[in-house]
Amino acid sequence: MAETLQSLADLKGSPSAAPEAPRHVQKLDKQGRAYATGKRKDAVARVWIKPGKGTITVNGRALEVYFARPVLRMILQQPFGIASRAGQYDVVVTVAGGGLSGQAGAVRHGLSKALTYFEPELRGVLKKAGFLTRDSRTVERKKYGRKKARRSFQFSKR
């Protein structure tokens, strides 16, 4: 049974005064890879990372071929830049749904999560940069009686 506390002084001296913070441990599969899922808009990215030369493969193609725009490639490299791990991991990505911008955001989210699974000490740096937070903004649904989600039909008095 739990002992009853009579005053605040008893509470201060009790052994369960401060709960311990959750401890993050390394999560790897049998091949030594870290796996994570990233999401953004309608895009879902499955990301596997393992130590290597720094090659990034997206849906069986090279990063430069799949994400041709430099801005999208820069978005993918951000977690490595923040964690100063550029060129240290091989990344294999399977991404589906949405457009290229949403897919790049999903890959960045999954890559950040996979990095924290491989190296739990990077969690603080990536969380502070906002890469571990799933951006929940999605397209608003179309309502009946309207042309789009909010756009109404043009009003005419006559």
Side-chain angles (χ1 to χ4, degrees), residues 49-66:
I49 65 166
K50 64 179 180 179
K53 300 178 202 144
T55 59
I56 300 176
T57 309
V58 182
N59 289 351
R61 291 187 264 176
L63 175 70
E64 292 76 24
V65 176
Y66 194 84

Side-chain angles (χ1 to χ4, degrees), residues 98-147:
L100 284 177
S101 176
Q103 287 184 353
V107 172
R108 180 179 80 172
H109 183 229
L111 193 57
S112 303
K113 282 172 61 175
L115 274 172
T116 60
Y117 293 155
F118 205 91
E119 294 185 56
E121 62 271 6
L122 293 178
R123 183 172 170 80
V125 177
L126 292 169
K127 183 136 177 94
K128 193 169 187 178
F131 294 156
L132 295 178
T133 306
R134 195 258 200 244
D135 190 355
S136 62
R137 296 176 296 167
T138 58
V139 178
E140 190 176 347
R141 80 169 198 84
K142 184 196 174 299
K143 278 61 162 209
Y144 63 89
R146 299 203 171 254
K147 215 168 181 163

